[in-house]
Each structure stands twice: as structure tokens, then as C-alpha cells.
Amino acid sequence: MPFSKIVALGHHVPETVITNQYLSTVMDTTNEWIVERTGINERRWVDPTKDTVANMAAKATRMALKRANLTEKDIEFIVFATITPDYFFPGSGVLLQRELGLEGIGALDIRNACSGFIYALSTADQFIKSGMYKTILVVGAEIQSTALDVTTRGRNVSVIFGDGAGAAILQASDKPGVLSTHLHSDGRFAEELYVKDPGSSRPREIRQPEQILDTTDFKVVMNGNQVFKHAVVRFMEVINEALAASQMTKEQINLLVPHQANLRISQFIQQKMQLRDDQVYNNIMRYGNTTAASIPIALSEAWGEGRVKENNVICLAAFGSGFTWASALIRWI
Ligand code: COA
């Protein structure tokens, strides 16, 4: 049975920088409040006339392909993680397939929010281990800014989220790169962080456009305290689960790349696990929380900065809407 390994990474973020200063001119918030509670200084928001989720994913993919001296034609299958697809259906996977000119290849969409990239990576890993494919594109991409309530009413959510895309190329290998992946969920907490519409769970009269447009049900609802409380516990559990599966200790982690939910969550985990600064990668200060895109953007940047080296042990971990949480332990070969 072959193993899988990540052979290349790429990312793309929109040009427009939205600073905390700017947000404080359109809603009742301050730079100090945002930095103190989230660690975010700025985020990128798209110009929707220029960027789409699928074309940002294509830009991230082309960066990864170039770094690995591969071409589009090497890709045999796409796994696309997003909760903000271009359309309600079909998923953005097919739009990326079209954009890359990869006639007829399969494209699978994953909707596991902040854990989406690790769920996608795990899925691709299984396809490679089964021998079905040798080269798979795994992407996470989000445009969240167009759905945010950028007024004081939506300030607890809108200051946190950003847009962007990250891509990883996974290939078959005779040695294990992806050592293990661990996926979890607890739907009892589904409504603690969710967007209701356009969901199918309401009577037809309520789902008519004129009724729906009157509501705020297209907006993100988040119980920030609950999310924070569960996140810190689940992050640590799932990181320890990944280490235990390979009989490793936290000292052996060269780089932990946590989903960039909130800098305070990452710092809490780092402190509780007693990890050194050089063992943890954070870039939420510059991009905010980009949901499924956050891990591949961070991993791609970390690789670009020389923080991911041959033979390193890399741990990815995520927590988010669902609740879902997940981890992956990778040896960089
Ligand atoms: N600017 C200024 N004040 C704000 C604000 C903003 N952007 N957003 C909320 N507030 C206010 C609230 O209205 C509230 O005011 P009140 O005390 O007068 O009612 C006060 O700040 C405290 O709100 P609260 O929601 O209790 O703040 P908090 O300390 O829990 O911080 C979060 C809020 C969202 C930053 C925090 O809960 C969090 O980070 N949770 C995790 C969220 C997360 O990671 N989500 C992504 C998961 S993948």
C-alpha cells in the first residue's frame, strides 16, 4: 500500500487590507478591543468583482504547482474544502476543475468549516493509500467578507473573519509523509456557530425570497464564549491523539500549525502544552480567521519562510463549526 506526502504548497490572499482602524470607522469597535481579544491586526477582504473562491483556489494551486515543477495535467483528483462556495450548488470543486482546464477529473467538496482542510487532507490520503489516485489537489478557500454584517450589530463576528485560499499537492510515496489523521464531530453544538440560510429546514412560505431577505438568517451566528471553551479542550485532545498514534511526544513536534481561529486560543494551547515559540506558527495577525483556508495558507507561508524542513514533524490541528475538530501528523519527506 502506498503512503501519501505533501509535495508542494501555495496560497493566495486578496490585495485589499482591512485594518482594525478601518473597522472602527464603520462600527462601534476599537483596535485595542480587537487586538486584545483576538490578536488580529488586519485581514484581507476580496473585491468580489475581481476574485471568486474558485479563482483564488486556482491561484494558490498554480503557486504550489510551480514550486514543485508540476503542471495542472499532473492532478488526478480535487478535494475542495469551503463553507463559502461560489454557488449554493454545485460546489466550487467543479469550478476549480474548469478553471484549471482539467477535463473530466473528479472533484469533491468538503463542508467542515474550520476543520475542512484536515478533513480534505485525510480524504485525499485515503484515496492515495487505496491506490485510486497518485496525485491529488487539496484546497481550502473562503470568501467570508461578502456575508459579514459590517455594522455594530455584527461586530462580534465580522472583526474575526478574512478571505483567502491555500493549496497542497498530495502524491503517492513509498515512505509515509502523512503519518495519521484524526477526525471528530459533535453535532449537539451545531447552532453555536452557524449560518441558517439557505437551509432546507423551514416551510416553503418562510423560504420564499421576500421572506428570507427580511431576516438575518444569512449571517454568521456565533456564541464566542462557547466556541472558545470547547476549542481549547478539543485542540489539545486531538493534538495528543495524533502524537499518541505515532508514539511521539510534544518535544518531537517541529512545527504546530493550528487553525488560525483566534491568537488567544493558539497561545493558550502553546502555554498548556509548554511548546516553544519556534514550535508554533501563527499568522492570524495579518489574515484573521480564514476558516478552511487558514491551515494551508499558514503552512504555505511557513514553508516559504524556511520553517518546514526535510524530516521535520509537522502537526496540523483544527476546531470549528459543527463542532468539528481534527488533526494530522506529517513527516516532511
Ligand atoms: N468591539 C467592541 N466590543 C465588542 C466587539 C467588538 N468587535 N464584539 C463584541 N463586543 C462587546 C460585546 O457586545 C460585549 O459587550 P457587553 O459586555 O456590553 O455586552 C463585550 O464586548 C464582551 O463580549 P463577549 O462576547 O463576552 O466577548 P469575549 O471576551 O467572549 O470575546 C470573542 C468575543 C468572539 C473574541 C471570543 O469569544 C472568541 O474569540 N471566541 C472564539 C471565537 C472563534 O474562535 N471563532 C472561530 C472558531 S473557528
Side-chain angles (χ1 to χ4, degrees), residues 2 46 127 134 141-142 163 179 208 214 288 310:
V46 291
F127 273 126
K134 289 194 173 56
E142 307 281 2
D163 305 335
L179 301 176
Q208 297 313 299
D214 250 8
E310 187 78 18

Side-chain angles (χ1 to χ4, degrees), residues 51-242:
D51 268 322
T52 67
V53 163
N55 83 25
M56 287 200 303
K59 288 174 190 170
T61 300
R62 292 197 173 105
M63 180 179 188
L65 290 169
K66 198 165 168 211
R67 280 170 164 178
N69 279 324
L70 295 170
T71 70
E72 281 89 340
K73 301 289 173 224
D74 292 305
I75 299 167
E76 295 172 318
F77 190 68
I78 295 170
V79 189
F80 198 130
T82 184
I83 51 163
T84 53
D86 303 67
Y87 305 132
F88 184 55
F89 73 85
S92 291
V94 298
L95 303 180
L96 179 59
Q97 170 269 325
R98 179 172 74 187
E99 181 107 14
L100 296 174
L102 294 173
E103 211 175 305
I105 71 162
L108 173 69
D109 290 83
I110 302 264
R111 290 169 48 90
N112 289 75
C114 300
S115 308
F117 181 78
I118 299 180
Y119 269 76
L121 182 75
S122 178
T123 305
D125 179 46
Q126 311 314 314
F127 273 126
I128 287 180
K129 282 182 178 150
S130 75
M132 188 156 172
Y133 298 113
K134 289 194 173 56
T135 303
I136 301 182
L137 168 62
V138 185
V139 296
E142 307 281 2
I143 293 181
Q144 315 194 87
S145 58
T146 51
L148 295 175
D149 178 354
V150 190
T151 68
T152 299
R153 189 178 55 175
R155 65 183 179 176
N156 66 319
V157 169
S158 54
V159 302
I160 294 177
F161 291 99
D163 305 335
I169 313 282
L170 218 67
Q171 283 194 319
S173 159
D174 52 3
K175 289 197 206 104
V178 176
L179 301 176
S180 68
T181 54
H182 308 271
L183 312 177
H184 297 282
S185 72
D186 190 342
R188 286 178 301 168
F189 301 99
E191 287 80 15
E192 299 294 346
L193 175 52
Y194 81 129
V195 176
K196 205 173 206 172
D197 275 316
S200 59
S201 62
R202 256 81 50 70
R204 188 178 303 118
E205 307 77 62
I206 297 177
R207 295 194 68 210
Q208 297 313 299
E210 60 279 11
Q211 301 284 338
I212 287 183
L213 288 174
D214 250 8
T215 75
T216 55
D217 291 346
F218 281 99
K219 304 288 175 218
V220 178
V221 174
M222 179 175 77
N223 181 347
N225 287 315
Q226 274 284 86
V227 173
F228 200 105
K229 248 173 42 195
H230 286 260
V232 289
V233 174
R234 296 306 194 185
F235 260 112
M236 274 188 295
E237 267 178 23
V238 84
I239 294 168
N240 285 325
E241 184 183 355

